[in-house]
Amino acid sequence: MIYSNLNVWAFLMIIAVLLISMLLGNILRMFIPGLKKTLIPVSVLGGVMLLIVSTITYYCAGNYFFNLSLFGGNGDNGSMSGMGVLELITYHTLGIGFVASGMRTSKKKFNKTRAAEVFDSGLTTVNGYLIQAFVGLIVSLIAAYLLHTDGMISAAGILLAFGFGQGTGQAMNFGKNFEEYGFTGGSNFGLTIAALGFLVACIVGVIYINVMRHKGQIKIVEKEKLNSLADYEDENEISVVSSMDKFTVQVAIVLAVYAASFGIMYGLSRLIPSLATTLFGFNFFIGVLLTLPVKAVLNKLYDKKLIKKQIINNFMMDRIGGFAFDLMIVAGVAAIQIPLLVSYWGVLLILAVVGAFVTWFYVNFVCKRKFSGYRHEQFLAFFGMLTGTASTGMILLREIDGTYRTPASENLVFQNLPAMVFGIPLMFLANFAPKSDLNALITCIIVGVAFVILNLVLFRDKIFKRKKAAEPAASASNEKGAEPLNEDTNSNPPDQNEAEK
């Protein structure tokens, strides 16, 4: 191997440029006060800068920035080109980030009230996906029927739920799958929706914070720094430095689980070849599911004293997940190819505006009724997550709840399990919708019905409480009507009779 060959350095140079762009974005935030107030994540800022550079390079040099020879490009736009590598980074960091988040341990036990709030948080998240998918499909069905946009399919609007609701990785995964059904530039369509979602989260979130602050309903609080060992590790954990570094152990566990998820996907795809694309699109979900038995085995080994020291460190798992998601976002935004989206911009902007409005309206409606004790904190957490990622939700939340005094941050973390349980059907519907215009319409109807049903579950206490309250009243009325009337009863007004009783 000749180390002076550019191909030897290509992948490393791509990673370096992605990270350097985030450093530059962070510097801009420090020296431009107005930019800092927008709360735009540094990863998004870095990605936008690379997107601008890449687009200018395309129109000046005839190729995208990451397809230049410095990054191993040979003039094409295939899977192993620089732009293809960006998509691979986005794909894998999605799975790695979810595995790292899933490996976190929790000893916290919830009472009945908190368990109900976590369950309701999961339902709210899924309902957010559903309403985004519903309005998105309506927009794309109308656009496909009226505008006849070349290369766009009628199911394109469901990507609003993945771009806004789940972020860059999922939007790209499903957009890529849609390309098999004739959606030209499907992955770029999804990535662009995700990028617009980040902007919506930051712009609308900042406006909400400022409006509510001027109304006196919220106040900006200072963030507390980590200042004790307990913030970094639990008791009885393995040493930070020994024969194997503690951080190396965490990375090894995450990658081992992710590699095992590949084995499962590969094995199932060999058994059912027709499901290969769908299975590999669920890399993050299968990885998260695998973390459950892994943690169960570790807990058994702890209980039997076969392993005396705690292996998993939550702080380091958070850092691995944070790094993976930052890299996912910056790579995903940089991978957008603007020239492929020229004919879609009208539909994209409509989807962004409609998605922002329905998400704001629905989340605000739910938080006022289900999380009234901390509605503003929960609104910012949910809105940030349902238009960007969970990290975006945490960024907005920290502006008014830097010490996490409310349960909003916990709801954002623990809602993942109920959200995944209720959200799995949506993912399968997303692979059913693009097969035909009729499938897209059927999917839209199913999503709308599911949204109504899950809202009945979400507001079960208010709906069924009224019914229960009405039943005793009706029973009392029947009993009263069955009693014989006497002269005294007839001679007195109803209110007086009640008072005498």
Side-chain angles (χ1 to χ4, degrees):
M1 181 178 291
I2 302 174
Y3 295 120
S4 60
N5 193 317
L6 288 178
N7 289 330
V8 174
W9 291 87
F11 181 75
L12 182 62
M13 291 302 294
I14 290 174
I15 296 294
V17 169
L18 294 176
L19 296 177
I20 290 169
S21 72
M22 286 193 282
L23 288 176
L24 292 175
N26 199 33
I27 291 171
L28 288 177
R29 276 172 54 92
M30 287 191 295
F31 287 97
I32 304 176
L35 193 59
K36 185 176 183 180
K37 291 179 181 179
T38 63
L39 301 181
I40 296 177
V42 169
S43 53
V44 176
L45 197 57
V48 169
M49 287 191 295
L50 290 177
L51 175 60
I52 294 171
V53 171
S54 184
T55 305
I56 293 173
T57 305
Y58 176 84
Y59 285 110
C60 293
N63 209 340
Y64 296 101
F65 177 67
F66 285 98
N67 281 350
L68 299 178
S69 58
L70 175 64
F71 305 108
N74 53 10
D76 64 9
N77 203 28
S79 61
M80 295 312 294
S81 65
M83 299 298 279
V85 171
L86 291 180
E87 291 189 3
L88 289 177
I89 292 171
T90 304
Y91 174 79
H92 286 304
T93 48
L94 171 70
I96 291 170
F98 267 89
V99 170
S101 299
M103 282 305 302
R104 295 183 83 261
T105 59
S106 176
K107 298 178 181 179
K108 190 158 191 173
K109 295 182 179 179
F110 292 122
N111 56 31
K112 188 175 180 181
T113 301
R114 286 292 299 122
E117 287 179 338
V118 169
F119 178 75
D120 290 342
S121 297
L123 283 176
T124 303
T125 300
V126 175
N127 283 332
Y129 300 156
L130 291 173
I131 195 171
Q132 289 170 348
F134 181 74
V135 299
L137 283 169
I138 289 176
V139 169
S140 60
L141 281 165
I142 294 173
Y145 180 75
L146 295 178
L147 303 179
H148 303 290
T149 305
D150 292 336
M152 195 186 80
I153 59 176
S154 55
I158 202 172
L159 291 176
L160 179 64
F162 296 104
F164 268 39
Q166 298 192 2
T168 312
Q170 279 295 80
M172 188 202 70
N173 280 1
F174 281 91
K176 197 76 172 177
N177 292 347
F178 283 15
E179 291 179 3
E180 296 184 6
Y181 301 98
F183 188 8
T184 304
S187 60
N188 279 277
F189 191 93
L191 289 171
T192 304
I193 289 178
L196 291 172
F198 283 113
L199 296 178
V200 166
C202 298
I203 294 170
V204 177
V206 169
I207 292 173
Y208 183 89
I209 290 172
N210 289 325
V211 169
M212 292 302 167
R213 183 177 61 177
H214 289 146
K215 287 184 177 181
Q217 295 188 27
I218 63 175
K219 63 180 181 178
I220 307 298
V221 297
E222 294 295 328
K223 307 174 187 67
E224 288 187 356
K225 295 181 179 180
L226 301 176
N227 51 20
S228 68
L229 186 61
D231 293 320
Y232 296 97
E233 64 179 16
D234 294 329
E235 295 181 2
N236 198 37
E237 285 192 3
I238 58 176
S239 301
V240 175
V241 179
S242 59
S243 57
M244 187 174 183
D245 192 272
K246 189 173 185 176
F247 184 72
T248 307
V249 173
Q250 313 304 307
V251 173
I253 291 172
V254 170
L255 293 182
V257 173
Y258 190 54
S261 70
F262 164 75
I264 292 174
M265 291 184 291
Y266 182 77
L268 291 175
S269 66
R270 297 285 288 180
L271 292 174
I272 317 173
S274 60
L275 289 179
T277 301
T278 302
L279 286 168
F280 278 94
F282 289 139
N283 64 323
F284 76 102
F285 180 68
I286 295 174
V288 169
L289 286 182
L290 278 179
T291 63
L292 300 177
V294 170
K295 290 193 291 186
V297 169
L298 285 176
N299 288 333
K300 282 290 184 183
L301 295 175
Y302 295 147
D303 293 340
K304 294 183 178 296
K305 306 298 182 183
L306 294 176
I307 298 180
K308 297 180 181 179
K309 296 283 187 178
Q310 295 286 331
I311 295 176
I312 304 300
N313 177 270
N314 287 344
F315 178 79
M316 290 186 178
M317 285 296 176
D318 285 340
R319 302 291 65 76
I320 295 171
F323 173 75
F325 289 136
D326 279 342
L327 203 56
M328 176 192 76
I329 293 167
V330 69
V333 176
I336 296 172
Q337 300 173 41
I338 296 294
L340 294 179
L341 301 169
V342 172
S343 59
Y344 300 151
W345 275 112
V347 177
L348 283 165
L349 292 177
I350 292 172
L351 283 172
V353 172
V354 173
F357 175 77
V358 297
T359 305
W360 182 91
F361 178 82
Y362 179 73
V363 172
N364 190 50
F365 178 84
V366 171
C367 290
K368 284 170 67 176
R369 288 157 181 80
K370 298 296 296 184
F371 306 96
S372 56
Y374 48 99
R375 58 167 285 205
H376 299 298
E377 291 83 357
Q378 194 63 69
F379 171 84
L380 290 170
F382 275 151
F383 185 80
M385 178 182 66
L386 286 171
T387 50
T389 62
S391 299
T392 315
M394 294 296 283
I395 289 170
L396 293 175
L397 175 63
R398 283 201 298 263
E399 291 300 308
I400 64 171
D401 188 13
T403 58
Y404 303 129
R405 55 185 174 75
T406 68
S409 59
E410 288 183 350
N411 292 344
L412 206 62
V413 173
F414 294 108
Q415 58 81 30
N416 282 300
L417 182 58
M420 285 191 335
V421 170
F422 288 105
I424 291 173
L426 175 63
M427 296 181 183
F428 285 103
L429 279 174
N431 287 316
F432 169 78
K435 295 181 179 179
S436 69
D437 292 342
L438 179 60
N439 283 23
L441 180 60
I442 292 172
T443 301
C444 185
I445 295 170
I446 293 173
V447 166
V449 172
F451 177 73
V452 172
I453 293 173
L454 288 185
N455 272 287
L456 291 176
V457 178
L458 178 61
F459 292 101
R460 62 198 177 279
D461 53 341
K462 298 184 182 298
I463 295 171
F464 296 108
K465 190 182 212 178
R466 289 173 185 169
K467 289 185 177 179
K468 289 179 181 179
E471 287 173 1
S475 176
S477 176
N478 290 334
E479 290 177 4
K480 180 179 175 182
E483 292 177 357
L485 298 175
N486 54 36
E487 294 180 0
D488 292 337
T489 304
N490 286 329
S491 62
N492 293 329
D495 290 344
Q496 186 177 345
N497 291 331
E498 291 296 326
E500 289 175 356
K501 288 181 182 181

